[in-house]
Amino acid sequence: MSEHRRKPPPPQGGGRAAARRGQSASSGRRASPRGATGSPSDSYGAGGEDRPYGGRAEARRAAQRNGGGRRRTADAPGHGPAGAAGPGRGRGRNSPPSRKRFIDYPRAGKSGFGRWVPSWKQMTGLFIGFIGSLVVVAGVAYAMVTIPDVAKTATAQNNVFYWSDGSQMVATGGEVNRQSINYAQIPKNMRYAVISQENKTFETDSGVDPKGIARAVFNMARGGQTQGGSTITQQYVKNAMLDDQSQTVSRKFKEIFVAIKVGAEVHKEDIMAGYLNSAYYGRNAYGLQAASRAYFNKDATDLDAGECAFLAAMLKGATYYDPAGATSLDPKATAQANSKRALVQMQDTLNKMVEYGHLDSAERAKYTKLPKVQNPRSNSRLSGQIGYLVDLAKAYLINNTDITPNDLQQGGYSIYTTFDKKKVEQLEAAVKKVQKANIKPDLRPKTDKYVQFGGASVDPSTGALKAIYGGEDATRHFTNNADQTGAQVGSTFKPFVLAAAMSWGKRNPDLGESQAQDERTIVSPKSLYSGKNKLKIQEYNHTIWKNEKGEEWLQANDGDESVGHPPDYKIDLREAMQFSVNSAYVQLGMDVGLDKVKEAALNAGILKASLASANYPSFSIGTSDPSAIRMAGAYATFAASGQQNDPYSVTKVTSKDGTVFEHKAKPRDAFTSKVADNVTDVLRTVVEKGTGTAAQLPGRQVAGKTGTTDGNKSAWFVGYTPQLSTAVGMFRMDDNENNKSREFLKMYGTGGQKEIHGASFPAEIWHDYMLQALKNEPVKNFPTPEPIGVVVNDTPSPSVTPTPTPSVTQSPTPTPTPSETLTSPTPTPSDTCGNFGWNCGNGNGGAAGGTDAGSTGGVTSSPTESTGNGSTRGNGNGGIFAGPNG
């Protein structure tokens, strides 16, 4: 028989081996696993038993693979048929069937990254689910919100202001000035002015602006404001939801759903009327009718197109658009700046009305200027000084606490101020006494008209503002002269120069700039400087100072006189302060460094925003324009032996929820007591036997300084006792709302005097007020100062040879130059700069120079920041509440 013939299969019983296995099984013994004998036939399933794996180890590995989630179908590629003993990893015939998951993720049948990529069915399902959820949420939110009643915004509570003794000053703020009118009474031009400027699709849109909403949410996410992009409907809703004015995402979304509901269920005419009747236009006026009366004293039905466009601008924020200004809230909101902004906005609105077909171009051409508006105050309870006091307290809260203007408009606050009722009345009485006796506008209209005074009084130990004089009447004169005017302070700035010289010292002239900053000599008040008129000012290293045009600076003194001991006119710093010698202090400022003079002023409490450029020598003699409040506060730093407290006007605020705000003192050491007490000692000399003798108080020690600016445009006296520091300023300015230039006027001949200086009316007012204010106060003396510094320039200088004056443009009526060989003159108690242009450094001089610059002894051109009239630089700056140090 051929060797290739297949052998017959073995019997089904399996032969002796099978019999042995059966015998072992029947006897309880475990049979050896297939292949245990090492026979090749064991691995091939001989004996007819169909086993899927070659051994127990392989079976175990297969089971682990199947348990690990890597099941394969029996007929998967690369695997044999079910039960086959091939090399594949197929499931045996006895394996349980695979379970189908509800969500096949990670996806079965995929490997690698593909297992984690959702299928298109899964993505579609997710999207439909997400949209469905949003629809459900939006539906619930829409159903839950209600349409607000805008009429509720007409209610508000009073704010009650209290004097420092706890007695009530005034209740104001709750009398919401509002009178609703119906849609038919609203001028068509007013409706379309608002539509053209704020929401041109108002008549057709759904009430919300998706792009604006996205922008608002994005701004909030960045920590910015949510304003911007709101439709008129949304503004209407916002005005009606005064119970919640928080700027949060949830609040914004609530407002959106309410706006959608209002847009769907409220007529457009009702929305427009509700918006214009509830909007705030400034001047405590809510609604169009109240605004029309507040600005134009007429009914809303009588407004013309220009007035409508003007009132539409007020909706953007009256603080920055009311032509009357609002510098108590923001120093940048001056009358001039606001008028400019309002005019630009008004013209833009009129142009858009023409563009969108709401106004005829011929009618539009009639309105190219701002309409005439009336005085912003009408509440008789805010007359006299009360209106100024309330404004200061409100401004302090807005700029220094979390209380917002809207919070104050809604009212409900008890505001406890620092103002002393008696002192306020005494300061007002002192001003009126001088005015009545000396200022005669009817008799001398060319010299006495537009004369104004401002004053402030501060407690040196705390910074509490005790009294102010803001003007004749807050309901007629609405610029607070105590807070900011733009009037330069002149020689009252010199104490900061002396404080810098005693704090940091003069630089070594033999060293380079960087080394000289470190190696300095502390200056004693006994140090000698030249009081020579038309002194050629030098840098600290004795090189001649020149401006950007290469012109030298010759510093003039009051009356064009040299003061000191001839032939070199040396004078010590105490005597130079006593008679307010400009040349000595200008040169001292250059030796110390004008940066250090500036730092001393800031440390004392002067605001950075009110400081003029420190790039010119005249900086040392008062080209800056701090407010009376800040000057009183800065001198109070000297009175307190160098401890500085920012002036403040509110001690506490309470509401129905309890204490909302409470002032916490934050004193800081501005100067050492040695420096401050020496400044005080020098300023005592001014009052005892210098230019400030008119301010002497019987039995009390007084320190102070007079100040007058070039062109005789402002005059000051600032002085103090240990208990009280007071500043009084005087100037001439026509600040009527129709006068856009707000130019300071000269005071030659004012009050019947040849010229006005700090030693005249300001010192007289200061004296009369302080005499009464301290009447029942105990007498206190200043600390005895410790000796300080080194006497610099104590060696006699060689005789000074007069230096020819550089060629300059002469003033129309130059004063003859005194002989350089004059013996030491007897100075008059005045520190005015005389008639010699901007060399004096004040007024038209220095950083605010102008057309009056130039006569003998000085250069004619003003620095780059010149205003041309030397009167309005910094107008609006220097207010009490502009923030610490600017």
Side-chain angles (χ1 to χ4, degrees), residues 9 69 108 144 154 165 196 241 297 346 385 419 427 521 549 568 582 592 620 625 631 658 714 732 756 759 778 854:
M144 291 181 64
D165 64 0
S196 299
M241 295 172 63
N297 196 26
M346 171 187 163
Q385 300 303 304
F419 302 120
L427 182 54
T521 301
K549 295 182 179 180
D568 52 6
N582 291 333
V592 174
S620 294
D625 54 18
M631 286 301 291
S714 60
R732 286 183 68 215
I756 299 298

Side-chain angles (χ1 to χ4, degrees), residues 516-688:
Q517 291 287 353
D518 298 327
E519 296 190 24
R520 292 170 172 266
T521 301
I522 300 299
V523 177
S524 165
K526 297 179 181 180
S527 298
L528 301 176
Y529 272 81
S530 175
K532 180 177 178 292
N533 186 50
K534 299 190 185 70
L535 179 69
K536 185 177 292 187
I537 299 303
Q538 302 176 351
E539 299 278 7
Y540 80 97
N541 58 6
H542 302 319
T543 59
I544 303 300
W545 187 92
K546 294 181 181 180
N547 66 8
E548 63 275 7
K549 295 182 179 180
E551 298 165 318
E552 297 177 351
W553 188 289
L554 302 180
Q555 183 59 55
N557 287 330
D558 172 41
D560 209 32
E561 296 176 327
S562 294
V563 182
H565 306 284
D568 52 6
Y569 294 99
K570 283 290 182 67
I571 185 173
D572 69 36
L573 294 177
R574 179 184 296 273
E575 194 174 9
M577 185 76 76
Q578 177 184 344
F579 297 114
S580 201
V581 181
N582 291 333
S583 56
Y585 273 90
V586 169
Q587 187 58 59
L588 176 63
M590 299 299 290
D591 289 350
V592 174
L594 297 182
D595 59 329
K596 295 301 183 185
V597 175
K598 179 179 181 179
E599 188 173 347
L602 293 173
N603 287 348
I606 299 299
L607 296 179
K608 184 177 181 180
S610 68
L611 292 177
S613 171
N615 295 326
Y616 299 90
S618 59
F619 178 74
S620 294
I621 49 176
T623 55
S624 300
D625 54 18
S627 67
I629 293 171
R630 284 289 169 174
M631 286 301 291
Y635 272 49
T637 301
F638 298 131
S641 293
Q643 189 175 75
Q644 192 268 337
N645 290 278
D646 272 342
Y648 70 100
S649 60
V650 178
T651 59
K652 183 175 66 172
V653 179
T654 62
S655 70
K656 61 181 177 60
D657 299 320
T659 300
V660 177
F661 164 77
E662 192 164 7
H663 173 76
K664 291 181 173 57
K666 297 179 181 179
R668 62 186 184 87
D669 293 328
F671 308 106
T672 65
S673 59
K674 181 185 287 189
V675 169
D677 293 343
N678 271 278
V679 171
T680 295
D681 192 57
V682 171
L683 295 182
R684 285 184 60 195
T685 307
V686 175
V687 177
E688 291 172 358

